[in-house]
Amino acid sequence: GAGVSQSPSNKVTEKGKDVELRCDPISGHTALYWYRQRLGQGLEFLIYFQGNSAPDKSGLPSDRFSAERTGESVSTLTIQRTQQEDSAVYLCASSPKAKSGAYEQYFGPGTRLTVT
Amino acid sequence: AQKITQTQPGMFVQEKEAVTLDCTYDTSDPSYGLFWYKQPSSGEMIFLIYQGSYDQQNATEGRYSLNFQKARKSANLVISASQLGDSAMYFCAMREGYNFNKFYFGSGTKLNVKP
């Protein structure tokens, strides 16, 4: 079946502009995560959605970052007034209800954001 | 303190040989899960294997096995019979407790398989 999709795959923007990144999770997956991966580094947790519960925003680096998700569907990550340090790959992952407790995450291909 | 430590930034292995990628973790929660992901140059993260903290046996998935040493807090990935397609970044990750928002990733190990 279809995996997690993200759009756009690449985004180049000027410093100070707003950007919106989109994630389509696997159908039926209740959990959705956003991560940031800077060049040559590991993943940095940003935000977590679980069903209709309030999201965990504890990883968002500043108030310029926000994310929304409607139910168990599409999510958008918005970065306002982009800065050069925002340049990174933004990865989205979704996770199903556990059968075994694994709760493995299925990742999308990412959006590569470059702020010039 | 780092939750997940991967001490090998890069590794080389000869095709058809086995290789071990190191991972140590830090948690005081008795319930946790350990994961390994592969990230090829295309960028997509691919789930490889999972080990629960209460699992008695080491997890295995095909050519992948997880050497789980609980007392040492290590969760090394063993890839047997390496293939050229195994060349990629490998990330160790931990879910702490049953907090599904708490996933921690290591900095990764770049594996190069030589023909």
Side-chain angles (χ1 to χ4, degrees):
Chain A
V4 177
S5 62
Q6 291 185 247
S7 60
S9 55
N10 280 285
K11 177 72 177 178
V12 180
T13 190
E14 291 180 354
K15 178 181 172 181
K17 301 276 191 179
D18 297 352
V19 294
E20 192 171 276
L21 312 180
R22 177 186 168 108
C23 172
D24 283 87
I26 295 172
S27 177
H29 281 195
T30 58
L32 187 147
Y33 304 79
W34 282 98
Y35 294 91
R36 179 170 67 181
Q37 186 177 28
R38 291 201 167 106
L39 187 63
Q41 297 186 19
L43 275 65
E44 177 186 359
F45 166 77
L46 296 177
I47 189 168
Y48 161 72
F49 295 91
Q50 174 62 272
N52 293 315
S53 302
D56 179 346
K57 305 179 182 179
S58 60
L60 295 178
S62 77
D63 58 8
R64 296 187 296 105
F65 287 73
S66 62
E68 293 183 353
R69 186 185 188 198
T70 305
E72 295 181 359
S73 62
V74 170
S75 175
T76 54
L77 176 69
T78 302
I79 309 173
Q80 296 178 308
R81 305 180 302 280
T82 51
Q83 304 293 314
Q84 288 185 330
E85 68 255 27
D86 300 334
S87 295
V89 174
Y90 290 82
L91 289 163
C92 174
S94 69
S95 185
K97 282 189 185 295
K99 296 176 183 176
S100 63
Y103 291 95
E104 66 264 27
Q105 296 172 64
Y106 296 83
F107 283 82
T111 293
R112 183 176 298 277
L113 176 66
T114 304
V115 182
T116 61
Chain B
Q2 294 273 11
K3 289 286 186 182
I4 295 286
T5 302
Q6 293 181 254
T7 57
Q8 306 153 314
M11 291 274 290
F12 284 91
V13 65
Q14 200 70 37
E15 192 179 9
K16 300 181 185 177
E17 292 186 349
V19 63
T20 298
L21 307 184
D22 294 343
C23 172
T24 56
Y25 58 93
D26 182 30
T27 182
S28 57
D29 197 311
S31 301
Y32 52 89
L34 298 159
F35 303 78
W36 277 92
Y37 287 87
K38 173 184 179 182
Q39 187 177 43
S41 56
S42 59
E44 193 158 347
M45 297 281 281
I46 302 166
F47 167 72
L48 296 178
I49 196 167
Y50 166 80
Q51 180 86 40
S53 60
Y54 296 118
D55 293 344
Q56 297 295 313
Q57 296 191 339
N58 288 342
T60 60
E61 288 287 347
R63 294 186 300 111
Y64 304 108
S65 60
L66 198 151
N67 185 359
F68 181 44
Q69 298 188 41
K70 199 168 183 176
R72 296 180 58 190
K73 293 189 175 179
S74 76
N76 298 340
L77 177 70
V78 181
I79 306 174
S80 63
S82 297
Q83 301 173 357
L84 295 178
D86 294 335
S87 294
M89 283 289 287
Y90 288 81
F91 291 95
C92 180
M94 176 176 69
R95 184 207 71 235
E96 193 169 43
Y98 289 103
N99 300 315
F100 304 113
N101 53 324
K102 297 297 183 190
F103 276 88
Y104 301 94
F105 284 79
S107 55
T109 295
K110 173 73 171 163
L111 178 65
N112 283 293
V113 180
K114 298 186 292 185

